[in-house]
Amino acid sequence: MTILKNDKTKFLEAYNAYADAIFRYCFFRVRTRTEAEEIVQETFMKTWKYMASGAEIENIRAFLYRVAANSIVDSGRKKREESLDELLSDVHRPEPSYEEKKDIEDAILMKDIRAELSALPEEDRDIILLRFMDDLSPKEIAVALEISANNASVRLNRAVKRLKQHLKEKKKL
Amino acid sequence: MNHPFFKKLNILKRTLRLSPTRKEDIRAQLSQFIDEHQLEYVRRGDSHRLLIHKESKQLLNIKNLLRPMPIIAAFTILATMLGGGVSYAAQVALPGEAFYPVKIFGENLATDLTFSAKAKAELSAQKVGHRLEEASVLVAQGKMNATTSAILASNFEKNADEADNNIGQLKKSGDVTTAANVALNLTAFLKAHQEVIARFEAGSSTLVATLKELKGDVNERFDEAKKLSDDLNAEVVASSSEPVVKTAVEGRVTAAVNVINEAQKFLDNKKSDMSADGVAEANAKIAVAESDIASANEKIAAGAYADALDLADKAFREAKEVKILAQTQVLLNLRVRREDGREEASSTENVESSSTRSNEGQGEIHSSGKSTDKMMDTATSSKSDAADENGQGESKNLDLNAQGNIHLNAEQDSNKAPEINSDQNGQIKFKFEF
């Protein structure tokens, strides 16, 4: 989706379309649901400010991921940043307040996914989630991670290979 | 992909989302945010009336300074013009002027929109440099007083904090070499301006009290930045293989050589605006820096990389100090000449004249009219500081003409000017005797 500068309607359409995806992206990387929600809001506000400067964004989805990634880094800086290793560990994760059965089911799923991902190098986890959770194309991943498209493809292939290998070995056990 | 892992991912894709209530809450806040952050401009004939960002709620009429363009685009251009010397960005708006908060907003926006840790750190270090340059311009224009000094000190502290944080982030990201380079640049700015402030104070008793807070902040920040720089250098030397360390050290030497060349070029171009003693002392300091470079190269050849780094850094700071002191002297001398009224005619033309700048394809800022002032012909070059750090050379024009514009557009209050004495040739007698 290309959004022209100062196009409020289109921007809010983008919010409707991508807010949940950005939320998922953030929730995997921060400590609490509340924090993830705050970063979603911050991401869209920063993106708007960028557009209000006169910029046009060709691929708003990929751009939002990039802004979210940086906001997560900034958030971690304020709170003594933890590595993704620690975030993947349940030790540091505070218990959420489960208001719905769905929340509990989601939490179990996330725990399982994190457990599998913890076997992979940190850079692989990010790219696997971007590809298979967030459905970003390699080009979009390149924008989100601020790397070249070629680099994104190479890293993605390697990450998928390593993941498959890990899942295969685990199955044997 | 049929593995349970991917099935779980697919389930989460459908189920893990914002609650409807929360999604709507955020949407409502976003909508309000958008309304509050709309930017517009209205152009009327020759006079460009710019409606500033609603947050600042100011109306400015900037005549013949900026081309008609959305104000925020102008900020973006200004913000991206950071780098190298007493820059246009440092001069366009000063603490205490109506446009200053807008300029700061533009700088902060530029930082927000910079996403790589390296670029963020470099940008924030340059912002510290610009705050210090603003101090020099304020003194040169006779506008350094308790109010402007307080505004400056406050912004300086914020920018210095940001620079510290961003260098720290860069280090954490694993790019220790670049973090060390940025820290060096920061120490160079701070050290040079320590000297500038000391000379301002030596030349004016009024300024001692006025600059006290800023001076204290600069001294404190230099000590912290120097320690950080030294620690990062030690880490560079200790943490990598010899070829990598050697490359890093050679890069630092190259960066120092570039700054020396920059300083020499500035002196060659601007010596007519400096005192003979000033030029002589600057040349002597450059000679010391060159000697340090020669010693650094010997150390590299001997494999003494830590020593080589120290010498290269010393040369870098020395050369930066030469350039900044020389630029400040030129600034002050220009003001003295205008107070004499000798160049009033050509300075008036400066208001109308253009300073065309090409800024890497982002557009031009220029005003209407012709430039006939000789200062346009003597515009000097300065490299961007980011380029310095990478040991690459590329010149931009130092726009002295912009100084004339600002000087004449700004309100003059000579009653508040610090004492400036000059000799018959308009050279400052005591303030900047090197």
Side-chain angles (χ1 to χ4, degrees):
Chain A
M1 181 193 285
T2 299
I3 297 193
L4 300 176
K5 53 187 184 244
N6 284 358
D7 191 336
K8 177 180 177 179
T9 306
K10 271 230 158 172
F11 187 75
L12 289 176
E13 278 176 21
Y15 170 77
N16 289 340
Y18 302 128
D20 289 319
I22 299 294
F23 169 73
R24 276 193 296 278
Y25 176 82
C26 295
F27 201 15
F28 261 96
R29 291 160 179 80
V30 298
R31 300 176 75 178
T32 64
R33 189 181 188 94
T34 306
E35 201 176 330
E37 289 169 356
E38 285 170 1
I39 293 178
V40 167
Q41 183 169 334
E42 189 181 320
T43 297
F44 280 91
M45 285 181 173
K46 279 185 176 175
T47 303
W48 174 258
K49 271 173 112 175
Y50 179 69
M51 286 167 49
S53 72
E56 289 177 18
I57 301 175
E58 198 179 307
N59 189 324
I60 183 105
R61 184 165 76 141
F63 189 85
L64 286 167
Y65 278 98
R66 192 191 335 172
V67 176
N70 282 285
S71 296
I72 289 167
V73 169
D74 288 345
S75 165
R77 183 178 66 206
K78 286 172 196 163
K79 295 175 187 171
R80 279 196 177 182
E81 186 172 38
E82 294 177 13
S83 69
L84 193 53
D85 294 285
E86 290 169 281
L87 287 171
L88 286 173
S89 157
D90 283 337
V91 171
H92 290 277
R93 188 162 183 86
E95 287 297 316
S97 61
Y98 294 108
E99 292 176 5
E100 300 176 19
K101 178 170 172 259
K102 183 188 90 58
D103 288 340
I104 299 172
E105 290 168 349
D106 285 346
I108 294 169
L109 284 170
M110 283 182 77
K111 184 179 170 182
D112 291 345
I113 288 168
R114 285 202 187 97
E116 302 292 2
L117 289 175
S118 63
L120 302 176
E122 189 171 340
E123 61 169 26
D124 282 0
R125 296 173 208 155
D126 228 17
I127 210 165
I128 291 286
L129 287 172
L130 284 170
R131 182 75 186 102
F132 295 107
M133 168 70 84
D134 304 309
D135 291 332
L136 263 61
S137 67
K139 270 191 183 169
E140 288 172 325
I141 290 172
V143 171
L145 297 181
E146 295 181 78
I147 57 179
S148 68
N150 190 48
N151 197 357
S153 291
V154 167
R155 279 174 57 176
L156 180 60
N157 286 337
R158 283 184 191 155
V160 169
K161 265 189 194 159
R162 282 195 272 258
L163 175 65
K164 281 182 176 173
Q165 185 64 29
H166 162 72
L167 293 173
K168 204 171 167 184
E169 282 169 5
K170 202 177 168 199
K171 202 173 177 181
K172 285 179 190 170
L173 293 174
Chain B
M1 303 247 188
N2 289 323
H3 192 279
F5 173 80
F6 294 100
K7 287 182 180 172
K8 288 173 187 171
L9 273 182
N10 284 333
I11 294 171
L12 264 185
K13 250 194 270 186
R14 290 194 307 271
T15 62
L16 186 61
R17 49 186 61 220
L18 289 161
S19 70
T21 318
R22 191 70 185 107
K23 189 170 181 179
E24 189 46 45
D25 280 344
I26 295 174
R27 191 184 198 282
Q29 288 179 44
L30 188 59
S31 179
Q32 188 181 345
F33 181 85
I34 290 169
D35 289 338
E36 289 170 357
H37 289 75
Q38 292 281 10
L39 296 164
E40 313 160 30
Y41 75 94
V42 175
R43 183 171 132 197
R44 284 186 210 170
D46 292 332
S47 167
H48 302 145
R49 204 165 170 79
L50 300 172
L51 226 71
I52 307 267
H53 195 287
K54 284 184 186 177
E55 276 185 336
S56 55
K57 292 188 171 62
Q58 294 179 40
L59 264 175
L60 284 182
N61 193 338
I62 303 171
K63 193 170 184 179
N64 294 330
L65 266 184
L66 297 177
R67 262 191 129 170
M69 64 174 72
I71 187 69
I72 196 63
F75 302 160
T76 307
I77 290 168
L78 277 174
T80 54
M81 282 162 67
L82 293 177
V86 184
S87 64
Y88 186 80
Q91 299 174 72
V92 162
L94 295 170
E97 292 178 357
F99 199 57
Y100 190 68
V102 179
K103 173 181 146 185
I104 296 296
F105 171 77
E107 282 187 0
N108 291 339
L109 184 62
T111 311
D112 284 347
L113 300 179
T114 302
F115 297 118
S116 82
K118 175 175 183 265
K120 256 182 155 58
E122 287 170 349
L123 199 58
S124 53
Q126 288 175 16
K127 279 159 71 172
V128 172
H130 280 285
R131 296 291 84 78
L132 298 170
E133 287 164 355
E134 284 167 3
S136 296
V137 178
L138 281 171
V139 170
Q141 294 188 10
K143 294 178 181 177
M144 183 61 85
N145 52 51
T147 304
T148 55
S149 177
I151 295 169
L152 191 64
S154 170
N155 282 302
F156 169 79
E157 281 291 287
K158 283 178 198 163
N159 290 156
D161 280 340
E162 185 188 273
D164 285 345
N165 283 335
N166 287 336
I167 292 171
Q169 281 303 304
L170 191 53
K171 181 191 166 186
K172 271 187 190 169
S173 76
D175 194 352
V176 179
T177 303
T178 307
N181 290 346
V182 178
L184 168 65
N185 204 19
L186 187 61
T187 59
F189 278 136
L190 291 165
K191 182 158 193 319
H193 283 277
Q194 276 182 318
E195 188 59 30
V196 166
I197 291 171
R199 295 189 187 204
F200 283 153
E201 288 179 326
S204 164
S205 55
T206 313
L207 285 174
V208 172
T210 310
L211 291 173
K212 185 179 174 189
E213 184 185 356
L214 181 65
K215 178 183 170 181
D217 292 342
V218 171
N219 287 346
E220 195 179 314
R221 291 288 176 170
F222 172 72
D223 291 339
E224 289 168 4
K226 179 73 171 48
K227 184 175 182 315
L228 175 63
S229 178
D230 291 343
D231 290 345
L232 287 169
N233 279 350
E235 212 170 312
V236 166
V237 172
S239 63
S240 304
S241 64
E242 188 182 331
V244 172
V245 173
K246 190 178 177 201
T247 304
V249 175
E250 285 171 342
R252 192 71 68 79
V253 168
T254 304
V257 168
N258 284 338
V259 180
I260 291 170
N261 291 340
E262 271 290 300
Q264 187 65 67
K265 197 170 179 182
F266 184 86
L267 283 176
D268 291 343
N269 285 334
K270 298 310 296 174
K271 51 189 171 203
S272 60
D273 288 318
M274 296 170 62
S275 67
D277 286 347
V279 172
E281 183 164 341
N283 279 325
K285 284 175 183 260
I286 286 178
V288 168
E290 286 171 340
S291 168
D292 286 335
I293 291 297
S295 301
N297 284 325
E298 285 170 11
K299 293 289 182 184
I300 290 174
Y305 299 120
D307 292 341
L309 259 186
D310 286 345
L311 284 162
D313 286 1
K314 184 168 168 282
F316 187 102
R317 282 192 279 266
E318 282 159 355
K320 189 75 95 174
E321 186 177 309
V322 167
K323 187 178 167 190
I324 288 174
L325 286 170
Q327 285 169 340
T328 311
Q329 188 187 34
V330 167
L331 257 183
L332 291 166
N333 287 344
L334 286 172
R335 179 171 185 266
V336 169
R337 286 210 295 274
R338 287 195 198 100
E339 283 179 343
D340 289 344
R342 273 179 285 156
E343 292 194 4
E344 198 62 44
S346 56
S347 295
T348 303
E349 284 171 347
N350 282 344
V351 176
E352 309 296 332
S353 66
S354 86
S355 159
T356 304
R357 297 182 70 97
S358 171
N359 184 41
E360 298 175 1
Q362 291 204 2
E364 298 176 354
I365 296 176
H366 63 209
S367 55
S368 61
K370 297 174 188 174
S371 164
T372 58
D373 188 78
K374 70 172 184 180
M375 281 188 287
M376 281 298 289
D377 298 328
T378 59
T380 58
S381 297
S382 66
K383 290 179 192 169
S384 80
D385 295 311
D388 290 344
E389 290 297 343
N390 293 324
Q392 296 165 5
E394 198 171 327
S395 294
K396 292 181 189 172
N397 284 326
L398 178 66
D399 185 5
L400 293 179
N401 200 44
Q403 294 173 27
N405 287 341
I406 293 162
H407 181 74
L408 288 172
N409 280 337
E411 289 178 11
Q412 299 296 306
D413 187 350
S414 58
N415 290 332
K416 293 183 183 173
E419 298 165 17
I420 299 175
N421 296 324
S422 60
D423 63 20
Q424 288 177 344
N425 297 322
Q427 298 296 329
I428 293 176
K429 277 171 67 179
F430 70 90
K431 186 166 284 198
F432 251 59
E433 294 296 338
F434 280 73

